[in-house]
Amino acid sequence: MKLTPIQVMDALRHNNIFTLKADAEYQVGIENSQIVISKRGSDIAYLGNTLESAIQLRKILKDHGTKEQQNQINKALADLMILENEDEWK
């Protein structure tokens, strides 16, 4: 089963990826049900709301994110993999 956008966004929300990070160069937020990356208050990228979008976010945060952001996206992706695998076994 393919993960829905709601499942993807819920996993990111649950792992606090959208909370403001005082020491982060890039902030991650939600706009129009999409992952959006901002730098100094300006939106610079809209990534969508799919599993592929979350993977793309991980790649960006690997290079430009704080350790906290990297840990949060890794936990969210792990949660999504578990969820996707659970659906396959049903």
Side-chain angles (χ1 to χ4, degrees):
M1 180 178 164
K2 195 164 182 129
L3 294 170
T4 67
I6 291 171
Q7 290 170 309
V8 172
M9 298 303 275
D10 282 350
L12 295 172
R13 216 177 272 110
H14 174 74
N15 285 283
N16 299 313
I17 197 72
F18 300 121
T19 58
L20 185 65
K21 311 294 189 286
D23 59 338
E25 179 180 7
Y26 292 92
Q27 299 294 330
V28 182
I30 303 172
E31 189 173 315
N32 298 323
S33 300
Q34 293 187 58
I35 301 165
V36 62
I37 299 176
S38 301
K39 183 175 182 178
R40 293 187 201 106
S42 297
D43 295 344
I44 60 170
Y46 290 83
L47 302 180
N49 56 15
T50 63
L51 178 58
E52 291 79 14
S53 303
I55 292 168
Q56 186 178 6
L57 176 61
R58 183 191 175 277
K59 290 177 184 176
I60 293 167
L61 292 178
K62 181 180 177 191
D63 294 333
H64 303 286
T66 65
K67 281 291 182 199
E68 179 185 16
Q69 288 172 314
Q70 293 170 10
N71 289 337
Q72 289 170 332
I73 189 63
N74 287 336
K75 287 177 186 175
L77 287 171
D79 290 349
L80 290 167
M81 292 300 113
I82 291 169
L83 184 60
E84 186 172 53
N85 288 330
E86 284 177 354
D87 287 344
E88 288 180 13
W89 287 99
K90 289 181 182 178

